[in-house]
Amino acid sequence: MRLTERRLTLRYLERQLLLARSPMGSGQAVRLLLGLQAQYSPSPYLALLARLARLDGASTTGLEDCLRDATVVKSTLMRGTLHLVAGADYRA
């Protein structure tokens, strides 16, 4: 099957969780997305709100729990800006 530009675009949007809201949790979404821009504090919450069916029980506690237990970490990563990434992917 030939990969058309439209199919490639749709696959990219699906991979970024932008075609439909996903039932997964915040930590799993951050791992799947590989990095979530977090220079401005509300940014990761808004990005997850747009992608997830429910932001861990309609609150931000899921992401905050992940940050507290280092499942997700916030650090300078790409282009010298702050990003959220899976803790296992950023041991430093």
Side-chain angles (χ1 to χ4, degrees):
M1 173 179 268
R2 186 171 173 261
L3 185 63
T4 64
E5 186 174 333
R6 176 172 169 72
R7 289 182 77 114
L8 181 61
T9 299
L10 287 174
R11 181 61 189 119
Y12 176 74
L13 291 173
E14 179 183 33
R15 165 72 176 76
Q16 291 295 314
L17 304 175
L18 293 171
L19 284 183
R21 291 179 184 246
S22 173
M24 71 180 64
S26 297
Q28 185 180 0
V30 170
R31 276 191 306 277
L32 178 71
L33 295 168
L34 301 177
L36 203 54
Q37 205 281 341
Q39 189 72 18
Y40 176 57
S41 292
S43 296
Y45 296 99
L46 296 173
L48 291 174
L49 186 62
R51 289 173 165 94
L52 302 181
R54 57 185 178 81
L55 190 52
D56 297 324
S59 73
T60 58
T61 56
L63 181 55
E64 291 169 4
D65 289 343
C66 290
L67 287 164
R68 249 189 306 282
D69 68 15
T71 304
V72 171
V73 296
K74 182 176 183 178
S75 185
T76 303
L77 193 63
M78 296 176 244
R79 301 179 309 272
T81 60
L82 294 172
H83 283 76
L84 295 182
V85 293
D89 293 340
Y90 193 83
R91 295 286 181 195

